[in-house]
Short mmCIF file of all heavy atoms in Angstrom, two decimals:
data_model
loop_
_atom_site.label_atom_id
_atom_site.label_comp_id
_atom_site.label_asym_id
_atom_site.label_seq_id
_atom_site.Cartn_x
_atom_site.Cartn_y
_atom_site.Cartn_z
N MET A 1 9.29 1.12 2.36
CA MET A 1 7.85 1.42 2.31
C MET A 1 7.17 0.42 1.39
O MET A 1 7.55 0.26 0.23
CB MET A 1 7.61 2.83 1.83
CG MET A 1 8.37 3.87 2.63
SD MET A 1 8.11 3.74 4.40
CE MET A 1 9.53 4.63 4.98
N LEU A 2 6.19 -0.23 1.95
CA LEU A 2 5.46 -1.16 1.09
C LEU A 2 4.54 -0.41 0.22
O LEU A 2 4.07 0.66 0.54
CB LEU A 2 4.68 -2.13 2.00
CG LEU A 2 5.50 -3.14 2.77
CD1 LEU A 2 4.62 -3.98 3.68
CD2 LEU A 2 6.28 -4.07 1.83
N GLN A 3 4.27 -1.00 -0.88
CA GLN A 3 3.33 -0.39 -1.84
C GLN A 3 1.94 -0.38 -1.21
O GLN A 3 1.43 -1.41 -0.73
CB GLN A 3 3.28 -1.23 -3.14
CG GLN A 3 2.47 -0.56 -4.22
CD GLN A 3 2.50 -1.37 -5.47
OE1 GLN A 3 2.83 -2.50 -5.47
NE2 GLN A 3 2.15 -0.75 -6.56
N ALA A 4 1.34 0.77 -1.18
CA ALA A 4 0.01 0.88 -0.52
C ALA A 4 -1.00 0.13 -1.34
O ALA A 4 -1.08 0.25 -2.55
CB ALA A 4 -0.37 2.37 -0.47
N THR A 5 -1.72 -0.69 -0.62
CA THR A 5 -2.75 -1.49 -1.30
C THR A 5 -3.91 -0.61 -1.68
O THR A 5 -4.44 0.12 -0.84
CB THR A 5 -3.18 -2.67 -0.45
OG1 THR A 5 -4.34 -3.23 -1.03
CG2 THR A 5 -3.55 -2.19 0.95
N PRO A 6 -4.27 -0.58 -2.92
CA PRO A 6 -5.36 0.30 -3.37
C PRO A 6 -6.73 -0.28 -3.10
O PRO A 6 -7.73 0.38 -3.25
CB PRO A 6 -5.12 0.37 -4.87
CG PRO A 6 -4.49 -0.93 -5.23
CD PRO A 6 -3.71 -1.35 -4.03
N VAL A 7 -6.77 -1.55 -2.68
CA VAL A 7 -8.03 -2.18 -2.50
C VAL A 7 -8.59 -1.91 -1.13
O VAL A 7 -7.93 -2.12 -0.12
CB VAL A 7 -7.93 -3.67 -2.75
CG1 VAL A 7 -9.29 -4.36 -2.61
CG2 VAL A 7 -7.32 -3.96 -4.09
N LEU A 8 -9.81 -1.40 -1.09
CA LEU A 8 -10.44 -1.16 0.21
C LEU A 8 -10.89 -2.46 0.81
O LEU A 8 -11.43 -3.33 0.14
CB LEU A 8 -11.63 -0.24 0.01
CG LEU A 8 -11.32 1.19 -0.38
CD1 LEU A 8 -12.64 1.92 -0.67
CD2 LEU A 8 -10.60 1.92 0.72
N SER A 9 -10.63 -2.59 2.09
CA SER A 9 -11.08 -3.82 2.76
C SER A 9 -12.21 -3.49 3.76
O SER A 9 -12.86 -4.36 4.26
CB SER A 9 -9.91 -4.47 3.53
OG SER A 9 -9.34 -3.55 4.44
N ALA A 10 -12.36 -2.21 4.03
CA ALA A 10 -13.44 -1.78 4.91
C ALA A 10 -13.95 -0.45 4.45
O ALA A 10 -13.23 0.35 3.84
CB ALA A 10 -12.91 -1.71 6.36
N CYS A 11 -15.18 -0.13 4.79
CA CYS A 11 -15.81 1.09 4.39
C CYS A 11 -15.10 2.25 5.07
O CYS A 11 -14.90 2.25 6.29
CB CYS A 11 -17.27 1.07 4.74
SG CYS A 11 -18.11 2.64 4.39
N PRO A 12 -14.66 3.26 4.32
CA PRO A 12 -14.00 4.41 4.91
C PRO A 12 -14.99 5.29 5.71
O PRO A 12 -14.57 6.13 6.47
CB PRO A 12 -13.44 5.19 3.70
CG PRO A 12 -14.31 4.77 2.55
CD PRO A 12 -14.73 3.35 2.82
N ASP A 13 -16.25 5.06 5.50
CA ASP A 13 -17.24 5.86 6.22
C ASP A 13 -17.65 5.24 7.54
O ASP A 13 -17.73 5.92 8.56
CB ASP A 13 -18.50 6.06 5.32
CG ASP A 13 -18.16 6.84 4.08
OD1 ASP A 13 -17.25 7.67 4.14
OD2 ASP A 13 -18.77 6.59 3.02
N CYS A 14 -17.94 3.97 7.51
CA CYS A 14 -18.43 3.33 8.71
C CYS A 14 -17.62 2.11 9.13
O CYS A 14 -18.00 1.42 10.08
CB CYS A 14 -19.93 2.92 8.53
SG CYS A 14 -20.12 1.51 7.43
N SER A 15 -16.53 1.83 8.37
CA SER A 15 -15.66 0.72 8.70
C SER A 15 -16.39 -0.61 8.57
O SER A 15 -15.90 -1.63 9.13
CB SER A 15 -15.05 0.83 10.09
OG SER A 15 -14.26 2.01 10.18
N GLY A 16 -17.49 -0.63 7.84
CA GLY A 16 -18.19 -1.88 7.64
C GLY A 16 -17.52 -2.72 6.57
O GLY A 16 -16.61 -2.25 5.86
N ALA A 17 -17.96 -3.90 6.48
CA ALA A 17 -17.37 -4.83 5.47
C ALA A 17 -17.84 -4.45 4.06
O ALA A 17 -18.97 -3.96 3.91
CB ALA A 17 -17.78 -6.27 5.79
N LEU A 18 -17.00 -4.68 3.10
CA LEU A 18 -17.35 -4.39 1.74
C LEU A 18 -17.60 -5.70 0.98
O LEU A 18 -16.82 -6.62 1.07
CB LEU A 18 -16.25 -3.56 1.07
CG LEU A 18 -16.03 -2.18 1.67
CD1 LEU A 18 -14.78 -1.57 1.04
CD2 LEU A 18 -17.21 -1.29 1.46
N SER A 19 -18.66 -5.68 0.18
CA SER A 19 -18.92 -6.82 -0.65
C SER A 19 -18.72 -6.46 -2.05
O SER A 19 -19.12 -5.39 -2.53
CB SER A 19 -20.35 -7.33 -0.42
OG SER A 19 -21.30 -6.36 -0.86
N MET A 20 -18.09 -7.34 -2.84
CA MET A 20 -17.76 -7.07 -4.22
C MET A 20 -19.03 -7.10 -5.08
O MET A 20 -19.80 -8.06 -5.04
CB MET A 20 -16.77 -8.11 -4.70
CG MET A 20 -16.35 -7.88 -6.14
SD MET A 20 -15.30 -6.43 -6.30
CE MET A 20 -13.90 -6.93 -5.31
N LEU A 21 -19.25 -6.03 -5.78
CA LEU A 21 -20.39 -6.00 -6.70
C LEU A 21 -20.01 -6.56 -8.07
O LEU A 21 -20.53 -7.49 -8.57
CB LEU A 21 -20.91 -4.58 -6.84
CG LEU A 21 -21.78 -4.10 -5.67
CD1 LEU A 21 -22.32 -2.70 -5.97
CD2 LEU A 21 -22.95 -5.06 -5.42
N ARG A 22 -18.98 -5.87 -8.66
CA ARG A 22 -18.48 -6.33 -9.93
C ARG A 22 -17.10 -5.76 -10.20
O ARG A 22 -16.70 -4.77 -9.60
CB ARG A 22 -19.44 -5.95 -11.08
CG ARG A 22 -19.54 -4.43 -11.23
CD ARG A 22 -20.50 -4.09 -12.34
NE ARG A 22 -20.11 -4.67 -13.58
CZ ARG A 22 -20.80 -4.50 -14.74
NH1 ARG A 22 -21.87 -3.75 -14.78
NH2 ARG A 22 -20.35 -5.03 -15.85
N ILE A 23 -16.41 -6.40 -11.09
CA ILE A 23 -15.08 -5.95 -11.50
C ILE A 23 -15.13 -5.61 -12.99
O ILE A 23 -15.55 -6.43 -13.82
CB ILE A 23 -14.02 -7.03 -11.25
CG1 ILE A 23 -13.94 -7.31 -9.77
CG2 ILE A 23 -12.63 -6.54 -11.76
CD1 ILE A 23 -12.92 -8.41 -9.44
N ILE A 24 -14.77 -4.36 -13.26
CA ILE A 24 -14.84 -3.88 -14.65
C ILE A 24 -13.41 -3.72 -15.16
O ILE A 24 -12.59 -3.10 -14.51
CB ILE A 24 -15.56 -2.53 -14.73
CG1 ILE A 24 -16.94 -2.66 -14.07
CG2 ILE A 24 -15.69 -2.08 -16.19
CD1 ILE A 24 -17.61 -1.32 -13.89
N ALA A 25 -13.15 -4.29 -16.31
CA ALA A 25 -11.81 -4.21 -16.90
C ALA A 25 -11.63 -2.83 -17.45
O ALA A 25 -12.44 -2.32 -18.24
CB ALA A 25 -11.66 -5.27 -17.97
N GLY A 26 -10.50 -2.20 -17.03
CA GLY A 26 -10.22 -0.86 -17.52
C GLY A 26 -9.10 -0.84 -18.48
O GLY A 26 -8.67 -1.87 -19.02
N ARG A 27 -8.57 0.32 -18.69
CA ARG A 27 -7.49 0.49 -19.67
C ARG A 27 -6.16 0.09 -19.05
O ARG A 27 -5.95 0.22 -17.85
CB ARG A 27 -7.42 1.91 -20.15
CG ARG A 27 -8.74 2.36 -20.87
CD ARG A 27 -8.67 3.85 -21.18
NE ARG A 27 -7.56 4.15 -22.07
CZ ARG A 27 -7.27 5.39 -22.45
NH1 ARG A 27 -8.00 6.40 -22.03
NH2 ARG A 27 -6.24 5.62 -23.24
N GLY A 28 -5.25 -0.41 -19.85
CA GLY A 28 -3.92 -0.73 -19.41
C GLY A 28 -3.89 -1.86 -18.39
O GLY A 28 -2.95 -1.94 -17.62
N GLY A 29 -4.89 -2.72 -18.42
CA GLY A 29 -4.85 -3.81 -17.48
C GLY A 29 -5.43 -3.48 -16.12
O GLY A 29 -5.49 -4.36 -15.27
N ALA A 30 -5.81 -2.24 -15.97
CA ALA A 30 -6.39 -1.87 -14.63
C ALA A 30 -7.80 -2.45 -14.50
O ALA A 30 -8.45 -2.72 -15.49
CB ALA A 30 -6.40 -0.35 -14.51
N GLU A 31 -8.20 -2.58 -13.29
CA GLU A 31 -9.54 -3.08 -13.03
C GLU A 31 -10.27 -2.11 -12.08
O GLU A 31 -9.66 -1.54 -11.19
CB GLU A 31 -9.47 -4.47 -12.36
CG GLU A 31 -8.93 -5.54 -13.29
CD GLU A 31 -8.85 -6.86 -12.59
OE1 GLU A 31 -8.78 -6.88 -11.36
OE2 GLU A 31 -8.82 -7.91 -13.29
N TYR A 32 -11.53 -1.94 -12.35
CA TYR A 32 -12.38 -1.12 -11.50
C TYR A 32 -13.20 -2.03 -10.63
O TYR A 32 -14.04 -2.78 -11.11
CB TYR A 32 -13.26 -0.23 -12.35
CG TYR A 32 -12.45 0.76 -13.19
CD1 TYR A 32 -11.96 0.40 -14.42
CD2 TYR A 32 -12.18 2.06 -12.71
CE1 TYR A 32 -11.21 1.28 -15.19
CE2 TYR A 32 -11.44 2.94 -13.46
CZ TYR A 32 -10.98 2.55 -14.70
OH TYR A 32 -10.24 3.43 -15.46
N TRP A 33 -12.94 -1.96 -9.35
CA TRP A 33 -13.62 -2.81 -8.41
C TRP A 33 -14.76 -2.02 -7.77
O TRP A 33 -14.49 -1.02 -7.09
CB TRP A 33 -12.68 -3.32 -7.34
CG TRP A 33 -11.69 -4.36 -7.82
CD1 TRP A 33 -11.30 -4.54 -9.11
CD2 TRP A 33 -10.96 -5.29 -7.04
NE1 TRP A 33 -10.37 -5.57 -9.15
CE2 TRP A 33 -10.14 -6.02 -7.92
CE3 TRP A 33 -10.90 -5.58 -5.65
CZ2 TRP A 33 -9.31 -7.05 -7.46
CZ3 TRP A 33 -10.08 -6.58 -5.21
CH2 TRP A 33 -9.28 -7.31 -6.12
N THR A 34 -15.96 -2.46 -8.03
CA THR A 34 -17.09 -1.82 -7.43
C THR A 34 -17.54 -2.62 -6.21
O THR A 34 -17.84 -3.79 -6.32
CB THR A 34 -18.25 -1.74 -8.44
OG1 THR A 34 -17.79 -1.13 -9.63
CG2 THR A 34 -19.39 -0.89 -7.90
N MET A 35 -17.53 -1.96 -5.09
CA MET A 35 -17.85 -2.63 -3.84
C MET A 35 -18.92 -1.88 -3.08
O MET A 35 -18.96 -0.62 -3.13
CB MET A 35 -16.61 -2.76 -2.98
CG MET A 35 -15.58 -3.73 -3.57
SD MET A 35 -14.03 -3.68 -2.66
CE MET A 35 -13.44 -2.09 -3.18
N ARG A 36 -19.75 -2.60 -2.43
CA ARG A 36 -20.81 -1.98 -1.62
C ARG A 36 -20.63 -2.30 -0.18
O ARG A 36 -20.35 -3.47 0.20
CB ARG A 36 -22.18 -2.44 -2.11
CG ARG A 36 -23.33 -1.75 -1.38
CD ARG A 36 -24.65 -2.14 -1.93
NE ARG A 36 -24.89 -3.56 -1.77
CZ ARG A 36 -25.90 -4.25 -2.32
NH1 ARG A 36 -26.74 -3.61 -3.10
NH2 ARG A 36 -26.03 -5.53 -2.13
N CYS A 37 -20.79 -1.29 0.64
CA CYS A 37 -20.67 -1.49 2.07
C CYS A 37 -21.93 -2.18 2.59
O CYS A 37 -23.05 -1.79 2.27
CB CYS A 37 -20.47 -0.15 2.77
SG CYS A 37 -20.44 -0.29 4.57
N VAL A 38 -21.72 -3.20 3.39
CA VAL A 38 -22.87 -3.91 3.96
C VAL A 38 -23.44 -3.18 5.16
O VAL A 38 -24.49 -3.50 5.68
CB VAL A 38 -22.47 -5.35 4.35
CG1 VAL A 38 -22.00 -6.13 3.15
CG2 VAL A 38 -21.39 -5.36 5.47
N GLY A 39 -22.69 -2.17 5.61
CA GLY A 39 -23.12 -1.44 6.81
C GLY A 39 -23.99 -0.24 6.40
O GLY A 39 -25.16 -0.19 6.78
N CYS A 40 -23.44 0.65 5.62
CA CYS A 40 -24.20 1.88 5.29
C CYS A 40 -24.75 1.83 3.84
O CYS A 40 -25.47 2.70 3.42
CB CYS A 40 -23.32 3.11 5.48
SG CYS A 40 -21.93 3.23 4.29
N GLY A 41 -24.32 0.81 3.09
CA GLY A 41 -24.82 0.65 1.76
C GLY A 41 -24.12 1.56 0.72
O GLY A 41 -24.58 1.65 -0.41
N GLY A 42 -23.09 2.21 1.14
CA GLY A 42 -22.37 3.08 0.26
C GLY A 42 -21.61 2.31 -0.82
O GLY A 42 -21.16 1.20 -0.59
N ILE A 43 -21.46 2.92 -1.99
CA ILE A 43 -20.77 2.31 -3.09
C ILE A 43 -19.35 2.87 -3.12
O ILE A 43 -19.17 4.11 -3.09
CB ILE A 43 -21.47 2.53 -4.43
CG1 ILE A 43 -22.91 1.94 -4.36
CG2 ILE A 43 -20.69 1.96 -5.56
CD1 ILE A 43 -22.92 0.45 -4.20
N HIS A 44 -18.40 2.01 -3.21
CA HIS A 44 -17.00 2.45 -3.26
C HIS A 44 -16.34 1.83 -4.52
O HIS A 44 -16.46 0.64 -4.76
CB HIS A 44 -16.26 2.05 -2.00
CG HIS A 44 -16.86 2.64 -0.75
ND1 HIS A 44 -16.71 3.96 -0.41
CD2 HIS A 44 -17.65 2.09 0.13
CE1 HIS A 44 -17.35 4.20 0.72
NE2 HIS A 44 -17.95 3.08 1.12
N LEU A 45 -15.68 2.71 -5.23
CA LEU A 45 -15.00 2.24 -6.45
C LEU A 45 -13.50 2.32 -6.28
O LEU A 45 -12.99 3.40 -5.90
CB LEU A 45 -15.44 3.11 -7.64
CG LEU A 45 -14.93 2.67 -9.00
CD1 LEU A 45 -15.57 1.37 -9.41
CD2 LEU A 45 -15.24 3.75 -10.05
N ASP A 46 -12.86 1.24 -6.56
CA ASP A 46 -11.38 1.23 -6.47
C ASP A 46 -10.81 0.92 -7.84
O ASP A 46 -11.33 0.09 -8.56
CB ASP A 46 -10.90 0.16 -5.49
CG ASP A 46 -10.46 0.77 -4.20
OD1 ASP A 46 -10.21 2.01 -4.21
OD2 ASP A 46 -10.34 0.08 -3.22
N ILE A 47 -9.73 1.61 -8.17
CA ILE A 47 -8.99 1.29 -9.38
C ILE A 47 -7.82 0.43 -8.99
O ILE A 47 -6.93 0.89 -8.28
CB ILE A 47 -8.55 2.58 -10.08
CG1 ILE A 47 -9.77 3.43 -10.50
CG2 ILE A 47 -7.77 2.17 -11.35
CD1 ILE A 47 -9.36 4.76 -11.12
N VAL A 48 -7.79 -0.77 -9.47
CA VAL A 48 -6.74 -1.68 -9.16
C VAL A 48 -5.84 -1.79 -10.39
O VAL A 48 -6.24 -2.28 -11.42
CB VAL A 48 -7.24 -3.09 -8.74
CG1 VAL A 48 -6.09 -4.00 -8.41
CG2 VAL A 48 -8.25 -2.94 -7.59
N LYS A 49 -4.63 -1.31 -10.23
CA LYS A 49 -3.71 -1.31 -11.32
C LYS A 49 -2.99 -2.67 -11.43
O LYS A 49 -2.84 -3.38 -10.44
CB LYS A 49 -2.70 -0.19 -11.19
CG LYS A 49 -3.36 1.18 -11.23
CD LYS A 49 -2.35 2.27 -11.09
CE LYS A 49 -3.06 3.66 -11.16
NZ LYS A 49 -2.13 4.75 -10.91
N PRO A 50 -2.55 -2.99 -12.59
CA PRO A 50 -1.83 -4.26 -12.75
C PRO A 50 -0.56 -4.31 -11.92
O PRO A 50 0.09 -3.29 -11.70
CB PRO A 50 -1.50 -4.31 -14.29
CG PRO A 50 -1.58 -2.86 -14.71
CD PRO A 50 -2.66 -2.25 -13.84
N THR A 51 -0.27 -5.48 -11.44
CA THR A 51 0.87 -5.63 -10.52
C THR A 51 2.16 -5.48 -11.29
O THR A 51 2.65 -6.34 -11.95
CB THR A 51 0.82 -7.03 -9.87
OG1 THR A 51 0.73 -8.01 -10.94
CG2 THR A 51 -0.40 -7.14 -8.98
N ALA A 52 2.71 -4.24 -11.12
CA ALA A 52 4.01 -3.96 -11.77
C ALA A 52 5.13 -4.32 -10.87
O ALA A 52 6.31 -4.31 -11.23
CB ALA A 52 4.09 -2.50 -12.14
N ALA A 53 4.80 -4.66 -9.58
CA ALA A 53 5.86 -4.96 -8.65
C ALA A 53 6.48 -6.35 -8.92
O ALA A 53 7.45 -6.70 -8.32
CB ALA A 53 5.29 -4.95 -7.23
N ARG A 54 5.85 -7.06 -9.81
CA ARG A 54 6.32 -8.39 -10.11
C ARG A 54 7.74 -8.36 -10.70
O ARG A 54 8.56 -9.27 -10.49
CB ARG A 54 5.36 -9.07 -11.09
CG ARG A 54 5.60 -10.56 -11.22
CD ARG A 54 4.58 -11.12 -12.20
NE ARG A 54 3.23 -11.05 -11.65
CZ ARG A 54 2.63 -12.08 -11.08
NH1 ARG A 54 3.24 -13.21 -10.95
NH2 ARG A 54 1.43 -11.97 -10.60
N THR A 55 8.01 -7.31 -11.44
CA THR A 55 9.33 -7.24 -12.10
C THR A 55 10.42 -6.89 -11.10
O THR A 55 11.53 -7.38 -11.16
CB THR A 55 9.30 -6.21 -13.22
OG1 THR A 55 8.79 -5.00 -12.71
CG2 THR A 55 8.45 -6.66 -14.39
N SER A 56 10.07 -6.00 -10.15
CA SER A 56 11.07 -5.56 -9.18
C SER A 56 11.08 -6.48 -7.95
O SER A 56 12.03 -6.45 -7.18
CB SER A 56 10.80 -4.14 -8.74
OG SER A 56 9.53 -4.05 -8.15
N GLY A 57 10.05 -7.26 -7.80
CA GLY A 57 9.99 -8.10 -6.64
C GLY A 57 10.92 -9.29 -6.75
O GLY A 57 11.59 -9.67 -5.77
N ASP A 58 11.01 -9.87 -7.89
CA ASP A 58 11.93 -10.98 -8.08
C ASP A 58 13.35 -10.42 -8.37
O ASP A 58 13.55 -9.70 -9.33
CB ASP A 58 11.46 -11.87 -9.22
CG ASP A 58 10.14 -12.54 -8.88
OD1 ASP A 58 9.90 -12.74 -7.70
OD2 ASP A 58 9.40 -12.90 -9.81
N ALA A 59 14.27 -10.88 -7.55
CA ALA A 59 15.61 -10.31 -7.70
C ALA A 59 16.38 -11.02 -8.81
O ALA A 59 17.23 -10.46 -9.45
CB ALA A 59 16.37 -10.51 -6.39
N GLY A 60 16.04 -12.28 -9.03
CA GLY A 60 16.86 -13.06 -9.99
C GLY A 60 16.43 -12.81 -11.43
O GLY A 60 15.27 -12.77 -11.76
N ASP A 61 17.37 -12.61 -12.25
CA ASP A 61 17.11 -12.49 -13.70
C ASP A 61 17.13 -13.88 -14.30
O ASP A 61 18.03 -14.68 -14.03
CB ASP A 61 18.14 -11.62 -14.38
CG ASP A 61 17.94 -10.18 -14.03
OD1 ASP A 61 16.83 -9.79 -13.61
OD2 ASP A 61 18.88 -9.41 -14.13
N LEU A 62 16.16 -14.13 -15.14
CA LEU A 62 16.11 -15.40 -15.82
C LEU A 62 16.98 -15.36 -17.07
O LEU A 62 16.80 -14.49 -17.90
CB LEU A 62 14.65 -15.74 -16.19
CG LEU A 62 13.77 -16.11 -15.02
CD1 LEU A 62 12.36 -16.36 -15.53
CD2 LEU A 62 14.34 -17.31 -14.27
N ARG A 63 17.90 -16.26 -17.10
CA ARG A 63 18.75 -16.34 -18.29
C ARG A 63 18.74 -17.77 -18.79
O ARG A 63 19.12 -18.68 -18.05
CB ARG A 63 20.19 -15.93 -17.93
CG ARG A 63 20.34 -14.43 -17.69
CD ARG A 63 21.75 -14.04 -17.41
NE ARG A 63 21.87 -12.56 -17.35
CZ ARG A 63 22.76 -11.92 -18.06
NH1 ARG A 63 23.57 -12.57 -18.87
NH2 ARG A 63 22.84 -10.63 -17.96
N ALA A 64 18.38 -17.89 -20.05
CA ALA A 64 18.32 -19.22 -20.62
C ALA A 64 19.71 -19.67 -21.02
O ALA A 64 20.55 -18.89 -21.38
CB ALA A 64 17.40 -19.19 -21.85
ZN1 ZN B 1 -20.15 2.00 5.18
#
C-alpha cells in the first residue's frame, strides 16, 4: 500500500482545480497548505507532514 498523499489535487466538492493560496509552517515540520478551488471558490486546508518515508524508502544504509 502506497502512502496516501495528503495533498488535495482537486476539489472534493466539485472536482475543480485547486490553486495554492499560501503555505503555513506548522509544528514538527508540518505544513498547512491553504488552497482555493477555482470552481466553487471553496477553501481547503491540508496538513502536509514531513516526509518520513525517506528513511524507509532508501534500502541502503550509509556507512562511512
Ligand atoms: Zn470546488
Side-chain angles (χ1 to χ4, degrees):
M1 307 308 161
L2 290 175
Q3 187 179 19
T5 170
V7 182
L8 292 173
S9 57
C11 177
D13 296 329
C14 73
S15 298
L18 295 173
S19 65
M20 182 70 64
L21 283 182
R22 64 181 300 182
I23 298 178
I24 306 169
R27 299 173 60 183
E31 292 178 338
Y32 297 85
W33 289 21
T34 307
M35 291 171 289
R36 184 176 62 189
C37 174
V38 299
C40 67
I43 300 297
H44 300 284
L45 185 68
D46 255 344
I47 300 177
V48 181
K49 295 181 180 175
T51 53
R54 193 180 292 263
T55 52
S56 59
D58 293 335
D61 287 339
L62 289 178
R63 288 181 173 234

